[in-house]
Amino acid sequence: MAPSNTVVISRKDQDVTPAVIDACRRGDRDAFRVLYEAYKDKVYSIALYFFHGDTAMAADVTQQVFLKLMGSMAQFRGDSAFSTWLYRFVVNACVDTTRSRSARADMTDPALLDTLPAADSLEDALANEHIAGSVRAAVSSLAPKLRIAILLRYFEDLSYAEMADVLQCSMGTVASRLSRGHEILARRLARIRNVAEKAR
Amino acid sequence: MFQKHLSDTLAAYVDGQLPPAEAGAASAHVAECARCRATVDEYQSVAGMLRGLARVEAPASIWISIEQARPNATRHDVRRGRQIEARTLRAWALAAMVIMAIGAVALWQINRPGPYDVVRIDGGSSTGRVSIGEWIETDASSRTRIKIGVIGTVDIAPNTRMQLLAAQPNEHRLNLARGVISAQILAPPRLFFVETPSSTVVDLGCAYTMEVDEAGAGRLRVTSGWASLEWDQIESLVPAGASCPTRPGRGPGTPAFDDASARLQQALFDFDYSGGGRRAVDVVLAEARQRDTLTLWHLLSRVEPEQRSRIFDRIAALTPVPNGVTREQALALDPATLKLWREELAWTW
C-alpha cells in the first residue's frame, strides 16, 4: 500500500473531471491535451463511420471539432454534460462538412469501408469481417440525419434525452429518426442477419 | 380486432426508452401482434450488429495538426491588440504598467517554491499538485506529467515512483526511486537535479530519459543538450545521442554513443562493472570511431595510470590534439588541460 503522502496515479478514473474542464476554460494547454486524449477516438470514430470510412475526412472533422472546442471552452457553462456539448460540435462538424462537400460525402466507397477494423476480428475473422463490413456499408447508405442518430445511439450509447439535446430536436423526433434508420438497416441487413442467425 | 401497430415508437420500445405507461401498452401490443414482434426481433438484431462496430483509434497526426493550426493568439488577445493600436499614448503607458505587473507576477511565480502542477497525459483526469516531500506513483497503465515551475516538464512513465525533494528558485530536485522519467528542461545548467539510488542526474540544459530498476540500477539517455551523472567524485558527461549506466555502490559508468558498436558497449560495461580491465580497454580502443572519443576521454582518468598513454594515443590518432593540450599534462590528468581537450573534442560528439 502506498504511503499516505503518495499521490497514486491510476487509470481507473477515466473521466474528465470538472478540474480538467476548468483548466481548459482558463486556456491550460496540458489540460486540453488530457481532454483531447479522452475524447479523440470517440470523435474520430463517429466521423469515420459518418464519412464512409474516409480517414482523411474523419481526421479533418476531428481537427475541426477540437479547434472549435479550444476556442469555445470559455463558453461552456456546465448546463449540460460536457460530452453532450462535445457531441454537438461533432454533429455540427459532420453536417457542415457534408454540406460543403456534398458530392463527396454522399458517395459510398466500398474500398474505403473495407479499411475499417471489425469488432472481434480475431474470432471468426472472416465471418465477422463480412458482417462488420456489411453493417458499415448499410450505415453509410443512410441519409445523414438518420446516420448520425444511429451512430449516437448505438455507437456512443446516448439516451434519447441526450440525443435530443445534442441534435436539438424533440425526443419524438429522435425516436422517429431511429425507427426510420432501423427500418432501412433491417432491410439492407436482412441477408446478413439470416446468415448470422443460421450460424448460431 | 383493430390493432395499432408500433411505428415511430418501435425503436424507443426496443431501446427501453419509452415512459413506463407507454412501454406497458407497447409490450401488451407486441405480445399480441406477430408483425410487431417480428419487427422487434429485427430491430434487436440490427442494434446488436451496430453495437459491434469497433472504435477506431485516432491517428497521432491529428494532434500535431491541431497544434499547428492553433492560432497563436486568442480572439481576446487579438481584440485587445486592436484596441491598443487605436489608443493614445496614455493607453500605451497603461499597457506598459500592465506588462510590468505581469512581469512582477511572473517573477513571483519563478521565485515561488513548489508545489508543482500534475497533469495526466494518458486520457485520465488531472490530479492537482504535488508538494515538497510528496511522492507520485503511477500504476502499470498510467502516465502523468509534472511541471517543473517555469523551467520545464517531467513525464512520468507507468510503474514509476518519484518524490519531490526541492522546489526553490536555485534548485529543483526530484528523487526517482524506480521507473522511467523523461525530462525537458530549459534553464541554466545545474538548476534541476534527479536523485537516483546510484547517482544524481544533473541537468546541463537538455532533454533526457532516466530509468531506474527495482535494484536501483539505472541508465541515462540524453536526447538533446547535455546532462551529467554524478556520484562520489565521479562525473560522467553525457551529450545528446549518448547513454550512461549507473549502479548502486559503484556510481556512473562510462558514457558511450548509442550508435557505438555493440562490442564497444559490452566491453565498456565489463570495464565499468565486471572487472574487464585491460582486455576490455583493448576492445574499446579497437572499436572506437572519431565520436567515441567521448568514451575515450572519460576512460583516460579511469584506467590504471600505465594505460593512460594508450588512451591518449588513440584519441590523438582519431582527432588532432589541439593547441594547449600536451601529452604530459593530459597523462597527469591536469583538470584545465582535460577540460580544454574535452571542449575541443566535443565538436565531433
Side-chain angles (χ1 to χ4, degrees):
Chain A
M1 193 177 185
S4 59
N5 64 341
T6 299
V7 180
V8 177
I9 311 292
S10 165
R11 289 204 76 178
K12 281 176 190 165
D13 177 12
Q14 287 283 349
D15 297 332
V16 171
T17 61
V20 172
I21 306 276
D22 278 349
C24 289
R25 275 148 75 170
R26 292 193 304 271
D28 185 322
R29 298 187 68 182
D30 288 329
F32 192 80
R33 181 67 194 264
V34 170
L35 196 75
Y36 172 79
E37 291 294 333
Y39 289 106
K40 67 182 170 64
D41 293 345
K42 285 179 183 235
V43 175
Y44 180 76
S45 297
I46 295 174
L48 194 62
Y49 287 121
F50 188 86
F51 288 106
H52 325 305
D54 186 330
T55 52
M57 196 94 90
D60 249 20
V61 166
T62 307
Q63 183 189 347
Q64 269 182 51
V65 166
F66 283 100
L67 279 171
K68 280 187 182 166
L69 200 63
M70 201 182 270
S72 310
M73 279 305 296
Q75 292 161 27
F76 177 66
R77 302 278 171 231
D79 299 334
S80 55
F82 175 77
S83 57
T84 306
W85 200 64
L86 171 71
Y87 286 126
R88 269 189 219 148
F89 281 88
V90 178
V91 170
N92 289 341
C94 286
V95 170
D96 290 348
T97 307
T98 304
R99 280 184 190 138
S100 62
R101 306 179 194 184
S102 56
R104 194 177 169 197
D106 288 341
M107 178 179 69
T108 302
D109 182 346
L112 288 173
L113 290 166
D114 285 348
T115 62
L116 294 174
D120 302 328
S121 57
L122 290 175
E123 231 180 43
D124 295 329
L126 282 174
N128 281 349
E129 181 51 42
H130 182 56
I131 292 170
S134 302
V135 174
R136 292 190 299 252
V139 170
S140 285
S141 71
L142 295 172
K145 278 185 179 179
L146 306 187
R147 199 185 316 151
I148 197 70
I150 288 283
L151 288 172
L152 291 177
R153 172 64 199 155
Y154 299 105
F155 193 63
E156 291 304 318
D157 214 20
L158 262 60
S159 70
Y160 282 29
E162 288 168 328
M163 286 178 66
D165 200 356
V166 171
L167 299 171
Q168 300 190 297
C169 62
S170 69
M171 281 171 63
T173 303
V174 169
S176 165
R177 286 181 190 172
L178 287 174
S179 286
R180 279 161 59 206
H182 257 301
E183 198 182 316
I184 296 166
L185 291 175
R187 214 164 41 239
R188 295 196 176 148
L189 292 171
R191 225 178 101 228
I192 208 85
R193 276 193 304 116
N194 291 338
V195 171
E197 273 158 24
K198 276 179 194 166
R200 276 183 209 151
Chain B
M1 187 178 107
F2 172 77
Q3 287 186 311
K4 189 183 176 194
H5 296 296
L6 304 176
S7 52
D8 277 2
T9 53
L10 195 58
Y13 171 69
V14 172
D15 288 336
Q17 298 277 322
L18 283 179
E22 287 182 46
S27 278
H29 172 79
V30 169
E32 296 290 320
C33 175
R35 178 180 143 186
C36 284
R37 213 163 40 246
T39 312
V40 166
D41 285 348
E42 234 175 43
Y43 280 20
Q44 281 172 337
S45 164
V46 168
M49 288 181 184
L50 290 166
R51 288 198 168 98
L53 287 175
R55 194 172 297 290
V56 184
E57 192 177 339
S61 58
I62 297 176
W63 177 252
I64 296 165
S65 54
I66 289 171
E67 287 275 86
Q68 285 169 349
R70 182 183 178 273
N72 288 326
T74 64
R75 276 186 212 161
H76 174 73
D77 292 334
V78 172
R79 197 165 55 240
R80 193 174 61 178
R82 284 177 187 153
Q83 284 167 356
I84 288 172
E85 261 176 36
R87 282 178 185 170
T88 61
L89 281 174
R90 203 171 114 195
W92 278 107
L94 184 64
M97 285 171 68
V98 170
I99 290 166
M100 284 171 69
I102 291 168
V105 170
L107 195 63
W108 176 77
Q109 286 278 352
I110 290 168
N111 288 316
R112 185 173 60 122
Y116 292 153
D117 288 332
V118 180
V119 178
R120 295 286 299 274
I121 53 175
D122 57 8
S125 59
S126 172
T127 52
R129 314 196 94 190
V130 60
S131 300
I132 309 292
E134 276 192 324
W135 289 85
I136 290 182
E137 192 166 335
T138 52
D139 70 7
S141 58
S142 301
R143 294 188 304 129
T144 195
R145 172 176 294 164
I146 59 171
K147 290 183 181 174
I148 307 301
V150 293
I151 66 168
T153 58
V154 170
D155 286 356
I156 305 168
N159 289 323
T160 296
R161 182 165 162 73
M162 201 194 68
Q163 184 185 27
L164 175 57
L165 295 177
Q168 298 297 329
N170 59 351
E171 182 187 342
H172 298 263
R173 193 174 290 268
L174 305 177
N175 174 24
L176 176 61
R178 65 167 155 76
V180 181
I181 60 165
S182 298
Q184 291 207 329
I185 303 296
L186 194 63
R190 311 192 76 83
L191 197 64
F192 176 66
F193 305 86
V194 177
E195 303 286 354
T196 80
S198 56
S199 54
T200 303
V201 189
V202 182
D203 169 73
L204 303 173
C206 66
Y208 64 81
T209 299
M210 182 70 206
E211 56 183 76
V212 172
D213 67 17
E214 292 288 347
R219 174 167 283 272
L220 169 70
R221 179 168 286 118
V222 177
T223 50
S224 78
W226 288 80
S228 68
L229 275 177
E230 299 178 8
W231 179 78
D232 192 24
Q233 309 297 315
I234 301 173
E235 181 186 39
S236 289
L237 290 162
V238 189
S243 298
C244 187
T246 177
R247 294 289 180 272
R250 306 288 295 275
T254 310
F257 280 104
D258 295 333
D259 61 0
S261 75
R263 289 192 72 221
L264 182 146
Q265 294 192 40
Q266 182 58 52
L268 208 51
F269 187 84
D270 292 343
F271 174 82
D272 287 332
Y273 301 115
S274 303
R278 185 186 177 95
R279 194 177 301 169
V281 172
D282 288 344
V283 175
V284 173
L285 290 173
E287 292 284 322
R289 308 156 302 165
Q290 187 184 48
R291 74 187 311 221
D292 295 324
T293 52
L294 164 74
T295 299
L296 298 178
W297 180 87
H298 279 85
L299 278 180
L300 191 65
S301 54
R302 297 179 185 195
V303 295
E304 297 298 326
E306 62 271 20
Q307 291 192 51
R308 281 183 202 150
S309 57
R310 298 172 67 213
I311 306 285
F312 180 94
D313 291 341
R314 184 62 179 140
I315 297 176
L318 292 167
T319 307
V321 177
N323 290 335
V325 174
T326 66
R327 183 183 181 87
E328 291 71 28
Q329 287 168 320
L331 295 183
L333 304 182
D334 172 60
T337 300
L338 293 183
K339 182 170 181 283
L340 173 64
W341 202 8
R342 189 196 75 219
E343 287 169 356
E344 289 298 322
L345 289 171
W347 290 103
T348 65
W349 296 348

